[in-house]
Amino acid sequence: MSNLISGIHHITAIASDPQQNVDFYTRVLGLRLVKKTINFDAPDVYHFYFGDETGSPGSILTFFPFKGAVKGKRGLGELTFTAFSIPESSIDYWRNRLAGLGISLSDTLQRFGEEVLRFTDPDGMGIELVAIKEDRREAWSGGSVPQEHAIRGLAGATLNLRELEPTAALMTEVLNYKLKEVLPGKRQRYEIAGNPGETVDLVQMDPPDRSIQSAGSVHHIAFRTAGESEQLQVQRLLQRYGVPVTEVKDRNYFKSIYFREPGGVLFEVATDSPGFLVDESLESLGDALKLPEWAASQREQIEKNLVPIQVNYQEAWNN
């Protein structure tokens, strides 16, 4: 078993309107836009990174906003709910905040001894806020949510699968996860060391139809490893396990390898380093459009193809 994986690094999803996406995650959820760059495979599309003050691994939710994209369909072979950690005492604050902004949300769910609020973003992506008793990660103090109630980082993710056993075997035999608990209704929770930002729930056939990926769909989930040598060890473990895995790809702020787990969800293993401060100061994170070196000569054309966005953390959100 590998001890090279320490939890979730980030989750990446697809959105439609770039400005709407920025407004929701900054003004409603109070996250910081820590990096504004491009989709390396589609340079005419933004890549937004939202997270805590520095974009710490385990706090990051990223988006490819394809202008005009239709809504996807939630279903099998997909990460259906992305969960964020909030303080245990903040569940009423968030219930009132979301209701006051006109966002439809679930009754408070009870799951694994934790209270959970469930809702969707403007593109229909499933979001959960989980009231966690002990999460010592420091929330960003510069957002639209008071620091005492602000999101601490990712809490986990839910994968919807036809069969749980093949994915569970990969999680436990290669990715360092251990089964924590099973709930009625075929939900299994996996964790590494009981820390926030690492849990993965496997749910069987809920909903039972195949997913259709578009706006509101999660593209992939990335697990964190310390550095490049550890990542290469994970790559070799996957190869020995019989999983086709990509070569290492340089994403500027981390190195990545990609593979599909048996249920069809795209997995990534990303390095913790170098992080988001390699090309911007802490104070200016997310302010400028940052391009990879190979795209620098195309900046003028790239900027012409991108719709300008505005970021105002304190301005009220209009649903």
Side-chain angles (χ1 to χ4, degrees):
M1 180 185 295
S2 164
N3 60 357
L4 303 168
I5 302 295
S6 59
I8 298 172
H9 185 281
H10 68 268
I11 291 171
T12 293
I14 301 170
S16 55
D17 183 79
Q19 187 65 62
Q20 175 182 257
N21 182 250
V22 168
D23 288 346
F24 184 84
Y25 285 94
T26 58
R27 297 183 192 175
V28 175
L29 293 192
L31 299 176
R32 186 179 191 185
L33 177 63
V34 296
K35 195 63 62 178
K36 180 172 58 176
T37 182
I38 57 170
N39 182 333
F40 286 9
D41 299 316
D44 59 339
V45 175
Y46 280 116
H47 192 176
F48 297 142
Y49 290 79
F50 301 97
D52 63 10
E53 183 176 18
T54 63
S56 305
S59 76
I60 311 161
L61 177 61
T62 97
F63 284 92
F64 302 130
F66 290 86
K67 184 72 174 176
V70 299
K71 286 189 178 182
K73 178 184 177 184
R74 194 176 300 155
L76 288 171
E78 185 182 31
L79 194 164
T80 51
F81 287 94
T82 296
F84 288 103
S85 169
I86 60 171
E88 189 177 40
S89 59
S90 297
I91 197 82
D92 288 337
Y93 169 86
W94 278 99
R95 186 188 296 109
N96 294 332
R97 176 179 177 83
L98 294 170
L101 292 171
I103 296 169
S104 298
L105 68 159
S106 67
D107 292 332
T108 305
L109 308 174
Q110 299 288 334
R111 195 172 66 214
F112 297 109
E114 298 166 336
E115 292 185 301
V116 180
L117 293 176
R118 177 181 283 182
F119 54 97
T120 61
D121 77 0
D123 287 309
M125 177 177 161
I127 299 290
E128 293 178 336
L129 298 181
V130 184
I132 294 181
K133 186 175 183 178
E134 292 190 10
D135 187 344
R136 294 182 174 85
R137 293 177 291 180
E138 187 173 351
W140 182 41
S141 62
S144 58
V145 176
Q147 189 176 26
E148 65 267 25
H149 297 301
I151 286 171
R152 267 46 183 169
L154 292 170
T158 299
L159 308 187
N160 182 33
L161 306 167
R162 186 177 300 279
E163 298 178 86
L164 303 189
E165 290 74 15
T167 301
L170 175 68
M171 298 283 294
T172 56
E173 294 174 25
V174 180
L175 299 182
N176 196 32
Y177 274 80
K178 300 175 180 66
L179 177 63
K180 178 186 179 183
E181 194 173 345
V182 177
L183 288 183
K186 299 185 178 179
R187 176 184 286 266
Q188 301 177 358
R189 169 154 292 184
Y190 291 81
E191 66 176 20
I192 293 177
N195 298 316
E198 65 176 30
T199 61
V200 175
D201 289 0
L202 306 184
V203 175
Q204 190 166 25
M205 300 180 69
D206 180 25
D209 298 323
R210 193 73 191 175
S211 63
I212 299 175
Q213 196 169 84
S214 190
S217 302
V218 168
H219 187 268
H220 64 265
I221 178 172
F223 297 92
R224 57 185 294 199
T225 195
E228 294 177 51
S229 63
E230 292 85 355
Q231 185 180 66
L232 290 175
Q233 291 180 64
V234 176
Q235 186 187 52
R236 288 193 291 270
L237 284 170
L238 288 164
Q239 290 167 340
R240 287 201 292 270
Y241 196 77
V243 175
V245 57
T246 68
E247 73 280 6
V248 176
K249 298 179 182 291
D250 188 349
R251 299 310 192 192
N252 271 30
Y253 311 108
F254 44 85
K255 300 289 181 66
S256 300
I257 56 175
Y258 299 86
F259 58 99
R260 288 199 182 272
E261 56 80 32
V265 180
L266 183 61
F267 278 10
E268 174 184 353
V269 174
T271 58
D272 282 354
S273 57
F276 295 104
L277 295 173
V278 294
D279 58 3
E280 287 181 295
S281 68
L282 179 62
E283 295 74 24
S284 64
L285 278 179
D287 288 351
L289 177 67
K290 309 305 292 187
L291 299 179
E293 186 176 339
W294 56 263
S297 63
Q298 307 168 42
R299 175 175 288 274
E300 184 177 355
Q301 186 59 45
I302 288 171
E303 290 183 341
K304 283 182 180 178
N305 291 334
L306 295 172
V307 177
I309 62 161
Q310 302 295 321
V311 183
N312 186 326
Y313 293 104
Q314 304 304 326
E315 187 174 328
W317 183 71
N318 296 315
N319 190 353

